[in-house]
Amino acid sequence: MKYKTLLFDADGTLLDFERAEYEALSDILAEFGIPDTKENHAIYSAANDEQWKLLEKGLVTRSDLRINRFVNFMNRIGVSACAHAMADSYMHALATKSHLLGGALELCRELSQTHELYIITNGFRYIQQGRFFPSPIAPFFRNVFISEDIGAEKPDAAFFDYVKAHISNFSPESTLVIGDSLSSDIAGGIRAGLDVCWYNPKGKEAPSDMNITYTVSQLSDILPITRK
């Protein structure tokens, strides 16, 4: 087999982040007396995504992101509340939402029999550990690399350098990065000199200037690639 080491993104690849985010936000909207509407969910998601994109570019800190997303959310819906209290409640709620995407358990169980599996994820340690370790896929992974622990975010080369240095007998030629984010997983893997597999269930168009090794629309499509 060409690949021995598989570096999986967590959210949006194996873990159902959209569901986790929706449920956690519903919890805190109720706590702070804010209407739990689809519109408010969409507004928060946009504010959150903006901050993560800025973090990937090094334009905000993780602490900034944690608060800014709620400041911007409340500004956009015209609500006044304590952003720090809301951020704390949200982190506690999100850390309890451990949902898998369909097919993730079966995929990880099968791949773990023939490959070395690792998680590479941007995020807060408290949230990512709270969501991943109770998951039934956790036993199939040899280690979990979280950006807060590393001190760098995907796609930063420092993140991937750390991962490479902390996997025994790491071989770039036999490693595959698997993730749903073009800006963090795929761009980071390419910059690190690794083959990449873009999980693209929504059929988005790939940039013509990005050298993506593989693109799959469902998790089961990853199996034939790893058996080559």
Side-chain angles (χ1 to χ4, degrees):
M1 292 184 295
K2 176 177 174 60
Y3 302 110
K4 177 188 74 172
T5 304
L6 305 179
L7 306 180
F8 275 95
D9 171 52
D11 288 318
T13 303
L14 298 174
L15 300 180
D16 189 342
F17 182 75
E18 288 186 2
R19 178 181 172 186
E21 179 186 68
Y22 198 95
E23 291 181 1
L25 187 62
S26 288
D27 289 348
I28 68 162
L29 291 178
E31 179 182 346
F32 287 85
I34 299 171
D36 185 6
T37 64
K38 289 184 178 179
E39 181 181 8
N40 282 345
H41 279 271
I43 292 170
Y44 169 77
S45 290
N48 183 50
D49 289 345
E50 289 168 5
Q51 291 299 306
W52 279 106
K53 290 294 188 295
L54 292 175
L55 183 66
E56 290 172 7
K57 296 175 182 177
L59 299 178
V60 297
T61 66
R62 193 176 289 103
S63 296
D64 293 334
L65 176 152
R66 183 174 177 272
I67 304 302
N68 288 351
R69 56 188 176 183
F70 287 102
V71 171
N72 294 343
F73 168 63
M74 287 187 288
N75 286 341
R76 293 174 190 182
I77 65 173
V79 168
S80 178
C82 177
H84 285 80
M86 189 174 286
D88 287 343
S89 292
Y90 178 76
M91 287 189 68
H92 290 308
L94 188 56
T96 68
K97 312 297 183 183
S98 182
H99 307 301
L100 291 177
L101 290 172
L105 178 58
E106 296 78 8
L107 175 69
C108 295
R109 180 187 291 120
E110 184 161 349
L111 288 176
S112 68
Q113 299 176 29
T114 52
H115 294 74
E116 296 179 4
L117 275 55
Y118 298 86
I119 289 289
I120 55 169
T121 179
N122 284 351
F124 296 92
R125 180 192 311 109
Y126 175 79
I127 293 175
Q128 298 304 74
Q129 289 183 344
R131 294 175 60 230
F132 181 76
F133 289 127
S135 168
I137 65 172
F140 303 128
F141 286 81
R142 299 191 174 209
N143 204 348
V144 178
F145 297 103
I146 303 173
S147 60
E148 184 175 17
D149 292 328
I150 294 173
E153 313 288 332
K154 296 178 295 182
D156 195 321
F159 181 99
F160 288 90
D161 288 345
Y162 181 96
V163 171
K164 292 176 182 179
H166 287 79
I167 295 178
S168 298
N169 302 313
F170 183 87
S171 168
E173 294 77 16
S174 61
T175 299
L176 181 66
V177 175
I178 303 166
D180 69 303
S181 172
L182 288 173
S183 61
S184 62
D185 308 315
I186 304 308
I190 292 172
R191 292 176 193 172
L194 306 174
D195 284 0
V196 296
C197 178
W198 181 31
Y199 175 52
N200 180 26
K202 297 182 179 179
K204 298 177 182 178
E205 185 173 350
S208 58
D209 60 346
M210 185 171 277
N211 187 23
I212 302 173
T213 319
Y214 312 99
T215 300
V216 298
S217 60
Q218 52 189 7
L219 291 179
S220 59
D221 292 338
I222 296 170
L223 286 173
I225 294 171
T226 61
R227 290 169 176 160
K228 291 182 178 180

